[in-house]
Structures are given as structure tokens and as C-alpha cells.
Amino acid sequence: RKEVEQDPGPFNVPEGATVAFNCTYSNSASQSFFWYRQDCRKEPKLLMSVYSSGNEDGRFTAQLNRASQYISLLIRDSKLSDSATYLCVVYQEYGNKLVFGAGTILRVKS
Amino acid sequence: DAGVIQSPRHEVTEMGQEVTLRCKPISGHDYLFWYRQTMMRGLELLIYFNNNVPIDDSGMPEDRFSAKMPNASFSTLKIQPSEPRDSAVYFCASSFKGIGTNEKLFFGSGTQLSVL
């Protein structure tokens, strides 16, 4: 089983739609969580950290469920520019490493 | 700041040749990471440095891979001899603090390596 699992998609949605991605992690000792965004043929960039109480940044909302070991990302009012691969990332203190999921592809179409 | 700078952007080489990838981290960042990304395995950490010292190289696939950081502004990842299965995008990243502090990682644009 992979340490961080994501549905690879692609998720094909129209502009203005709301879309949600989930991510599960296997190590219950994981401490910090993030969503990174990667455009085609580009480097990953931090989208947002995920806090235990949930957090929002504009149209983006991240949630963490430690009991079920999953993280979610909700995008409201999707824009064409949201089209990208979204990487779920988990920090594990043991080993002091970031573990990246394989990513979920989002395509927003007009 | 120019961000993390990697060179070359693309490298095409033949099996058995030596390949050297280069990275200049953001000035003032104490941590430097080398990642490899493939379709099959996603992003994998190969090695990271703190203050120019290698801290964890457990992700380095085998002895053909080596990495150095002779000073705070330069690092290299070398593959010798290269093999077709080494074909991937290699990213360098840096951060001001360690990754356990919710610190943001800044990635370079990557080097697309193709070994024929």
C-alpha cells in the first residue's frame, strides 16, 4: 500500500463547478499536511497547508480527518486556470521526510 | 530573488555516460533537496542537505548516484554510469528551515533527463 494515495483522475469539470479531491495516508504518526499544485511540465508549488481545524484560502478549502487518515481539498467556482495536478503531501517526523502522493489531475473546461 | 535555479533544463544522453545535474538554491536557505519524478513512482526524495552536509541519502537508488554540496550556493547530482531507467524529471528544492516546520519548499524548474 502506498503511503499517500490519491485518485489520479482526471476530473473533468465545467467552469464554475465545485470539485473535491480526497487523499488518504497510511502512517497515523504523520504530523503535517499540505496541498501542492503542479502545472504541466512545471515544478510543484505550495497551494496551502492543511490544519487540524480545517482552513480556507479564497475558493480553496482544506480539511483534515485524523481519525480516518484522510485529507480533502475543495475548490469552489472552478476557473480554467485551476487546471493542474494537485499533490497531497504528508510530513512524517520519523524519517523527517515529506511524502508526496502521485497527484490528482483536474481539467476545467469552458 | 531568482528562485531555485537548475541546469540543464533538458539532458539527452546515451546509456553508460556520466550525467551531472546542477542546482543553485535560494540565497539564505539552509536546506537543499533532490527529488526525482516519474509517472510510475511520482515524486521521490533522493537526498537532502542541511548547511551543506548530507543528512539523509536513503532515497538514492544505488551507488551510481552521488550528490555533493561544496558550498551554500551550489549542489550537484551525478549519475555514473547512466541507464535508461534513470530517465525522469529531477527537481532540486530548497527551504529556509527544515521540512518539519511547515516550511514551504521552493522547487526549481527541474531537469528532464532522457537516457537512450
Side-chain angles (χ1 to χ4, degrees):
Chain A
R1 182 187 174 187
K2 292 182 180 178
E3 293 183 81
V4 179
E5 295 206 62
Q6 296 183 250
D7 181 343
F11 285 64
N12 295 302
V13 303
E15 274 186 291
T18 295
V19 61
F21 310 135
N22 286 336
C23 162
T24 58
Y25 59 95
S26 60
N27 189 335
S28 60
S30 300
Q31 294 185 296
S32 305
F33 310 89
F34 311 88
W35 284 101
Y36 274 69
R37 169 191 169 132
Q38 186 172 23
D39 293 313
C40 188
R41 301 185 188 282
K42 299 282 190 178
E43 71 275 18
K45 293 182 179 179
L46 179 65
L47 178 65
M48 59 196 300
S49 301
V50 185
Y51 301 119
S52 297
S53 56
N55 48 298
E56 191 173 300
D57 183 0
R59 298 182 293 108
F60 298 83
T61 300
Q63 296 278 353
L64 168 64
N65 185 319
R66 286 188 183 271
S68 301
Q69 294 180 208
Y70 82 77
I71 307 144
S72 65
L73 177 67
L74 181 79
I75 304 175
R76 291 182 300 277
D77 187 23
S78 299
K79 312 291 185 190
L80 293 175
S81 57
D82 293 334
S83 297
T85 297
Y86 291 83
L87 304 170
C88 176
V89 185
V90 172
Y91 169 69
Q92 297 172 351
E93 184 176 18
Y94 180 78
N96 190 30
K97 63 178 182 179
L98 285 176
V99 181
F100 284 77
T104 297
I105 298 170
L106 171 65
R107 296 177 184 152
V108 182
K109 301 185 176 181
S110 57
Chain B
D1 198 313
V4 177
I5 300 173
Q6 289 187 247
S7 65
R9 288 296 306 273
H10 303 275
E11 177 80 31
V12 181
T13 190
E14 293 186 346
M15 182 173 63
Q17 296 299 305
E18 178 179 294
V19 174
T20 299
L21 311 181
R22 297 173 176 78
C23 175
K24 175 180 167 55
I26 292 173
S27 178
H29 281 192
D30 292 334
Y31 289 80
L32 183 140
F33 307 82
W34 282 101
Y35 285 88
R36 177 172 69 176
Q37 187 173 37
T38 61
M39 289 290 291
M40 290 296 293
R41 302 173 68 90
L43 262 170
E44 303 173 282
L45 177 66
L46 300 177
I47 185 172
Y48 81 90
F49 296 82
N50 178 22
N51 290 324
N52 314 337
V53 177
I55 303 300
D56 183 357
D57 65 355
S58 60
M60 297 284 262
E62 47 198 273
D63 292 346
R64 297 184 297 107
F65 285 69
S66 62
K68 295 181 179 179
M69 192 164 186
N71 57 61
S73 59
F74 184 65
S75 176
T76 60
L77 178 67
K78 186 175 294 187
I79 308 172
Q80 166 63 21
S82 58
E83 296 182 3
R85 61 191 167 122
D86 301 331
S87 298
V89 180
Y90 290 80
F91 286 106
C92 176
S94 71
S95 69
F96 179 57
K97 299 177 187 176
I99 55 177
T101 59
N102 276 344
E103 186 71 10
K104 177 179 176 180
L105 273 186
F106 292 82
F107 284 83
S109 300
T111 295
Q112 174 74 60
L113 173 64
S114 298
V115 183
L116 307 177

